[in-house]
Amino acid sequence: MNTETISKTNGHKLNGFTSENIGDDHLFTSLDTPMKANAFDISNNEKKKRISILFSEIMDVLGLDLTDDSLQGTPDRVAKMYVEEIFSGLDPENKPEIALFDNKYQYNQMLVEKNITFYSNCEHHFVPIIGKAHIAYKSSGKVIGLSKLNRIVQYYAKRPQVQERLTNQVANELKTVLKTEDVAVIIDAKHLCVSSRGVQDDTSSTVTTYYGGEFNTASKISELQNYLNN
């Protein structure tokens, strides 16, 4: 997987390659999720109406009978799922509110929250990414509720994603919220665009990492890996 930041060039090319040349390679162009400036000019209800109409057209082009009892409600169901569920992380209104608390226990070692299950979607094929996130941080004087760690992961996962971007977005959010560089994020995920199509490899998974501050040392990485493996 190419983790190099790619810049757009003329003719809708990335580093001189067209999307056809790139094929199934997973590339990302920025740390921020690519969004239009007017992304929120229309309401969620209007978005659902438009998506339903457009998805009806896709189903029609595929040759499906939209008058069938089983299929006639599908466009509305897909539209609702896109806006309210699997892509709800695109809307900043859904960003979790984070409350910090004084570290009254004076716990000054790493805190590890492992095996946070998440479901995301590959932005290249719009098929699921299913994985586990492991988070660690060292308090700078404040602590965060454990459930909020899960909610941060879920918020950034619920959008079309690239795993490298997801890893960095979660790490940057934690650094900002916790006011510390001492943050680590490890994500281990299966991409259905690899397992269910393309090369159809159902055994491989992808691991991405972020080690900041004190975690960016061989001893701390080894300590963290020991916690995760036990």
Side-chain angles (χ1 to χ4, degrees), residues 15-204:
N15 278 10
F17 294 97
T18 66
S19 58
E20 289 79 11
N21 297 143
I22 292 168
D24 289 341
D25 286 344
H26 282 198
L27 307 176
F28 68 100
T29 55
S30 68
L31 175 60
D32 295 327
T33 301
M35 299 288 290
K36 300 192 302 180
N38 63 345
F40 305 104
D41 285 358
I42 60 176
S43 69
N44 284 343
N45 284 336
E46 180 63 24
K47 288 179 181 180
K48 284 185 283 189
K49 290 178 183 177
R50 294 190 187 184
I51 291 171
S52 180
I53 293 169
L54 294 169
F55 202 80
S56 295
E57 293 183 12
I58 291 173
M59 294 176 67
D60 182 65
V61 170
L62 289 172
L64 295 170
D65 181 4
L66 285 165
T67 66
D68 182 87
D69 288 343
S70 179
L71 296 179
Q72 61 183 351
T74 297
D76 286 342
R77 287 189 289 264
V78 170
K80 182 178 180 180
M81 176 184 69
Y82 275 11
V83 175
E84 296 184 5
E85 297 178 68
I86 65 175
F87 298 135
S88 61
L90 291 172
D91 188 346
E93 291 293 325
N94 294 323
K95 189 173 184 178
E97 295 185 7
I98 306 297
L100 295 180
F101 305 94
D102 290 333
N103 185 11
K104 293 183 178 180
Y105 296 112
Q106 296 300 304
Y107 181 75
N108 296 317
Q109 301 302 312
M110 70 170 70
L111 182 147
V112 181
E113 179 85 356
K114 65 181 184 178
N115 295 325
I116 300 172
T117 301
F118 72 87
Y119 297 88
S120 189
N121 278 267
C122 164
E123 70 179 34
H124 301 108
H125 296 97
F126 272 48
V127 293
I129 301 170
I130 304 170
K132 302 282 188 182
H134 315 290
I135 290 175
Y137 76 92
K138 186 175 178 181
S139 174
S140 64
K142 298 288 185 179
V143 295
I144 187 175
L146 292 180
S147 67
K148 299 302 184 183
L149 298 175
N150 299 61
R151 293 187 186 281
I152 288 172
V153 172
Q154 301 297 346
Y155 173 69
Y156 285 103
K158 289 182 177 180
R159 56 180 69 182
Q161 268 294 11
V162 177
Q163 187 171 326
E164 296 94 328
R165 181 194 294 130
L166 174 60
T167 305
N168 286 332
Q169 285 180 333
V170 171
N172 285 341
E173 182 68 18
L174 289 169
K175 289 193 300 181
T176 300
V177 168
L178 293 165
K179 297 179 175 58
T180 180
E181 293 291 322
D182 300 331
V183 165
V185 177
I186 301 172
I187 293 180
D188 186 346
K190 180 180 286 292
H191 295 241
L192 265 66
C193 59
V194 173
S195 62
S196 68
R197 56 161 303 283
V199 297
Q200 297 185 351
D201 180 355
D202 191 45
T203 60
S204 63

